[in-house]
Amino acid sequence: MSSRDQFASKIGFIFAAAGSAIGLGAIWKFPYMAGTNGGSVFIFLFILCTVFIGLPILIAEFMIGRRGQKDPINSFKEQAPGKPWFMIGWLGQAATGLILSFYSVVGGWILSYIIRATSMSLTGNGVDFEALFTDIIANPVEVLIAQATFMLITLIIVQAGIKRGIEVASKWMMPLLFIFFILLFIRSVTLDGAIEGIKFMFVPDWSYLNAETFLLALGQAFFSLSVGVSAMITYASYLSQKEKIVSSAVNVAIMNIFISILAGLVIFPAVFALGYSPEQGPGLVFIMLPAVFEQVPFGGFFILIFFILLLFATITSSIALLEVVVSIGIGEKTNTRKRATWIYSTLIFMIGIPSALSFGVMSDFTIMEKSFFDFIDYITNSIMMPIGALLISLFAGFHYTKKISKEEFQSSPLLFKIWLTIVRYIAPIAIAVILIRSIFA
Ligand code: PFF
């Protein structure tokens, strides 16, 4: 791909951006984070953080990228010559690389499930879904092969470039995934005892309202919107000047909230109806989905299709992650794209090895009392993303003159005022307070 390849259409861009956003964050992470952090309160804070902090910063990233029309580092350098803002790009490159290092592990788990689904071994009487999950993720050979395969798929698509690879894949897979989720939701909420799951999601238990939950919800909002690590700057750099960014960003945020809640509505009613605990952690979706499909006619077949769609949702996000690393890595030297893609992918795979082994042979290895997998998740999600988001917010709020940002905003003056107040004051202060409180708590 030449560096100035562009999206063929606005809807293509929205789907690609939504594809980058919607992935494991909404479908895998959101349910288990909600499950371990009190359900409703976490969900409420997540929506609050998405609308009032994540979305305005997403708009800021779209502005910076579209205005720059280059990779994040060069975009910042050109728009703020001689100033250190470009370091946001370095932070983004490090963060996306680290995220991909564990993201690919979970992507590998999905591949493992797909292989088992093809032999119909995910359904049928007497399968212990919890034991199955624990066995799969503890097997060092399987997780490493799966992770490497997942990285390889990501790499091949990123090499193919924006129009052919990313846009086409996103346009077809996302709508299909929506439809499937709605069908599953119907099955799940009609199970006996499902109402407890709905209550868990929507009736607040305020004892969970604290700085820690707030930080986790904020991190979840950033993670699932792909905000704070220059990913959306990178995508928007392929967007032409005539497209409206506010409506694109609103669309992405709404789809993301929608699919997160829907994932919750598939998982939690089933959790309670089938007698599982919501606090399963990272295994929640992998354990619950087969359990729900077991309740559906032809479940063995549908679960295969479902995991394939989930794989696509995951890949549309992993290619965004790799795209950031590669586009920053090569800068203007687009002729080195192919080689760089291979080198970075190999490096990311290697950094991910301890994460892949975190649930088996390396489970005793901890940093700050966290497994390697959890540690990388924590520093990227709870530290690097909020810091990146904070800086991006300040850049759009203060480095851009009001005239420039208004011109880029292209929407109603009232919305512009609200947006500007958020990126100048509300978002930076909220992020700083939450970060400091939770780090020193
Ligand atoms: N938003 C993706 C998800 O929810 O799965 C993860 C992600 C993709 C984070 C791209 C950051 C990023 F740059």
Side-chain angles (χ1 to χ4, degrees):
M1 158 171 100
S2 87
S3 74
R4 292 302 108 215
D5 200 354
Q6 283 202 341
F7 284 104
S9 60
K10 179 175 177 194
I11 191 79
F13 170 72
I14 293 179
F15 272 120
S20 145
I22 296 163
L24 292 176
I27 300 165
W28 161 74
K29 202 166 183 196
F30 175 79
Y32 92 74
M33 291 298 286
T36 42
N37 291 289
S40 54
V41 168
F42 179 86
I43 294 173
F44 168 71
L45 293 177
F46 162 75
I47 295 176
L48 201 74
C49 290
T50 300
V51 174
F52 292 103
I53 303 182
L55 173 61
I57 298 178
L58 181 60
I59 294 173
E61 287 207 24
F62 282 175
M63 274 185 187
I64 298 167
R66 190 182 61 176
R67 221 179 143 73
Q69 295 282 312
K70 291 195 167 63
D71 69 280
I73 302 231
N74 284 307
S75 285
F76 280 115
K77 278 191 177 157
E78 199 173 273
Q79 296 180 61
K83 304 236 169 72
W85 290 108
F86 67 91
M87 282 156 120
I88 297 173
W90 294 124
L91 179 70
Q93 191 190 31
T96 43
L98 286 173
I99 292 173
L100 186 53
S101 78
F102 73 84
Y103 208 85
S104 53
V105 173
V106 184
W109 297 347
I110 298 176
L111 289 174
S112 286
Y113 269 72
I114 290 177
I115 301 288
R116 282 179 180 69
T118 47
S119 60
M120 297 287 156
S121 61
L122 282 185
T123 43
N125 281 340
V127 180
D128 177 344
F129 298 121
E130 284 181 71
L132 179 73
F133 177 71
T134 323
D135 285 350
I136 291 177
I137 64 171
N139 180 337
V141 180
E142 175 162 353
V143 286
L144 288 178
I145 293 178
Q147 180 201 3
T149 312
F150 182 85
M151 277 308 295
L152 195 66
I153 300 174
T154 305
L155 180 166
I156 290 169
I157 301 185
V158 169
Q159 265 189 8
I162 285 291
K163 225 181 277 174
R164 271 175 300 151
I166 299 177
E167 189 168 346
V168 174
S170 309
K171 232 182 181 139
W172 288 100
M173 298 304 157
M174 301 309 298
L176 261 181
L177 192 73
F178 280 147
I179 295 171
F180 237 75
F181 250 129
I182 290 180
L183 294 178
L184 275 184
F185 156 68
I186 294 169
R187 173 66 279 209
S188 190
V189 287
T190 49
L191 290 170
D192 260 359
I195 189 73
E196 287 310 310
I198 308 275
K199 282 193 198 149
F200 178 75
M201 286 183 71
F202 298 112
V203 181
D205 171 356
W206 295 111
S207 65
Y208 281 94
L209 188 63
N210 54 41
E212 172 71 12
T213 315
F214 219 121
L215 180 72
L216 292 173
L218 183 71
Q220 177 63 26
F222 289 159
F223 186 82
S224 65
L225 279 179
S226 309
V227 148
V229 291
S230 297
M232 292 303 195
I233 297 183
T234 309
Y235 268 29
S237 75
Y238 302 112
L239 191 63
S240 91
Q241 210 64 30
K242 54 183 196 298
E243 308 294 2
K244 293 225 170 11
I245 49 182
V246 173
S247 64
S248 303
V250 170
N251 274 315
V252 171
I254 289 177
M255 279 195 253
N256 196 44
I257 293 179
F258 179 72
I259 202 99
S260 298
I261 300 290
L262 203 54
L265 286 172
V266 170
I267 302 295
F268 290 117
V271 164
F272 286 88
L274 304 175
Y276 286 84
S277 151
E279 300 191 15
Q280 307 270 356
L284 186 65
V285 165
F286 288 93
I287 295 165
M288 289 316 301
L289 284 175
V292 178
F293 275 106
E294 206 178 41
Q295 310 288 325
V296 176
F298 309 108
F301 171 66
F302 284 133
I303 198 165
L304 173 64
I305 302 191
F306 183 85
F307 272 114
I308 292 175
L309 291 174
L310 182 57
L311 179 70
F312 275 103
T314 308
I315 287 175
T316 51
S317 302
S318 65
I319 50 187
L321 289 162
L322 188 57
E323 175 66 28
V324 178
V325 178
V326 171
S327 79
I328 291 179
I330 59 178
E332 302 288 271
K333 300 191 290 294
T334 47
N335 56 340
T336 58
R337 184 175 187 94
K338 202 167 174 178
R339 203 180 59 216
T341 310
W342 277 95
I343 295 173
Y344 283 115
S345 300
T346 311
L347 197 69
I348 290 168
F349 169 73
M350 291 194 307
I351 298 172
I353 291 176
S355 289
L357 302 178
S358 278
F359 302 87
V361 289
M362 281 184 67
S363 59
D364 290 335
F365 177 82
T366 56
I367 308 175
M368 287 169 60
E369 293 168 36
K370 292 175 174 30
S371 70
F372 193 83
F373 182 101
D374 287 341
F375 175 71
I376 301 290
D377 180 14
Y378 175 77
I379 50 166
T380 49
N381 212 198
S382 295
I383 305 210
M384 295 169 106
M385 289 188 117
I387 292 177
L390 176 80
L391 295 173
I392 287 167
S393 190
L394 293 175
F395 182 86
F398 292 104
H399 179 77
Y400 280 155
T401 61
K402 234 180 174 168
K403 183 168 170 289
I404 292 182
S405 49
K406 200 167 198 167
E407 215 173 86
E408 291 286 327
F409 197 80
Q410 299 163 307
S411 187
S412 89
L414 176 66
L415 281 183
F416 176 71
K417 254 199 189 128
I418 298 175
W419 174 82
L420 193 64
T421 313
I422 292 179
V423 291
R424 280 194 170 172
Y425 311 108
I426 299 178
I429 293 172
I431 298 171
V433 170
I434 296 171
L435 250 181
I436 292 167
R437 283 218 44 174
S438 81
I439 291 174
F440 297 105

